[in-house]
Structures are given as C-alpha cells and as structure tokens.
C-alpha cells in the first residue's frame, strides 16, 4: 500500500511529506539493527525512486529488489530496509533452477509409459 502514498489528492497534500511521515514513524518504531521488507507495486520508475529516496532521507539503508523484472504481470518490487548503514540490498539470483514435474506427494503420475509396460 506504499504506492498509494505517492498520490496527491489535493493541493494541500504532498506525496513527499506523506512518505516522509510514513518512513519517519517506521524508523522510530523499529529497533536497532532491525530490517524490514515491504512489497509494493509502483506505477512507474519515478514512483519507485520517490519511495526509495524518502526511505533514505528518513535514515534507512537498503534499496529496491525487483522480482521477475522481465514480466509485466508477475513483476514484484520489494523495498529492503535496514537500520544498519552498512547494509546492502540482497543480490539478485541469476541462476534459474527447473524442477521436474511430479504428481501429488512427489510420486510419478500413475499412467506413465513405464506403468503401462509393467501391466
């Protein structure tokens, strides 16, 4: 729901102030050396940058990790925050591991070619 803080509903409201208040109160609630991961769906890259900048101004370290960056529907943005200034955001995994398809409980489907030949 962080992305909803980026919208200005009227001229009296500011997205920058709203995000600063959110991240300031989050910073005051967390203990030392704690971490937080927030999932959000920005409308575009400027919204993601605005959110990350507001978090950095509040005193957090970290960054944005994008899961499934090449997909338009499955793309997920995670804002990884830490109170520790030496914290680095998690590195992306580049290895794709394919798992073999199995039926329920890890068994092979019943009517595979080997089963038919056994009968």
């Amino acid at each position: 729901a962080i992305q909803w803080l980026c919208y200005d509903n009227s001229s009296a409201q500011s997205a920058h102030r709203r995000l600063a208040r959110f991240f300031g109160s989050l910073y005051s609630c967390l203990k030392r050396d704690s971490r937080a991961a927030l999932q959000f769906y920005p409308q575009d890259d400027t919204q993601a940058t605005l959110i990350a900048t507001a978090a950095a101004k509040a005193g957090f370290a970290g960054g944005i990790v994008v899961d499934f960056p090449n997909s338009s529907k499955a793309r997920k943005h995670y804002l990884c925050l830490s109170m520790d200034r030496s914290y680095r955001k998690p590195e992306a995994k580049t290895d794709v591991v394919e798992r073999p398809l199995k039926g329920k409980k890890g068994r092979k489907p019943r009517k595979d070619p080997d089963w038919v030949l056994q009968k």
Side-chain angles (χ1 to χ4, degrees), residues 73-92:
K73 288 187 177 182
R75 183 180 307 152
K76 296 176 185 169
H77 292 74
Y78 296 96
L79 182 63
C80 300
L81 303 174
S82 174
M83 303 286 278
D84 184 17
R85 296 302 295 170
S86 63
Y87 176 76
R88 297 196 189 282
K89 69 180 181 179
E91 294 296 322

Side-chain angles (χ1 to χ4, degrees), residues 1-2 4 15 30 68 70 72 76 94 108 112 116:
I2 301 173
W4 293 108
L30 294 177
F68 302 111
N70 298 328
S72 60
K76 296 176 185 169
T94 57
K108 289 183 180 179
D112 64 343
V116 174

Side-chain angles (χ1 to χ4, degrees), residues 5-107:
L5 299 174
C6 295
Y7 296 113
D8 295 331
N9 296 333
S10 67
S11 60
Q13 297 177 352
S14 171
H16 294 285
R17 263 190 262 145
R18 198 178 299 144
L19 285 167
R21 187 177 306 143
F22 171 74
F23 286 115
S25 61
L26 181 63
Y27 190 86
S28 65
C29 291
L30 294 177
K31 294 180 180 181
R32 291 178 94 187
D33 299 332
S34 61
R35 297 177 185 167
L38 308 170
Q39 182 180 357
F40 67 104
Y41 299 95
Q43 191 174 17
D44 52 11
D45 289 337
T46 57
Q47 258 189 8
T49 305
L50 178 67
I51 291 170
T53 304
K57 283 183 181 178
F60 285 107
I64 296 175
V65 177
V66 181
D67 193 16
F68 302 111
N70 298 328
S71 173
S72 60
K73 288 187 177 182
R75 183 180 307 152
K76 296 176 185 169
H77 292 74
Y78 296 96
L79 182 63
C80 300
L81 303 174
S82 174
M83 303 286 278
D84 184 17
R85 296 302 295 170
S86 63
Y87 176 76
R88 297 196 189 282
K89 69 180 181 179
E91 294 296 322
K93 292 183 179 179
T94 57
D95 299 337
V96 177
V97 179
E98 293 185 23
R99 295 183 218 154
L101 298 175
K102 295 181 180 178
K104 289 185 178 182
K105 298 182 183 178
R107 291 182 283 169

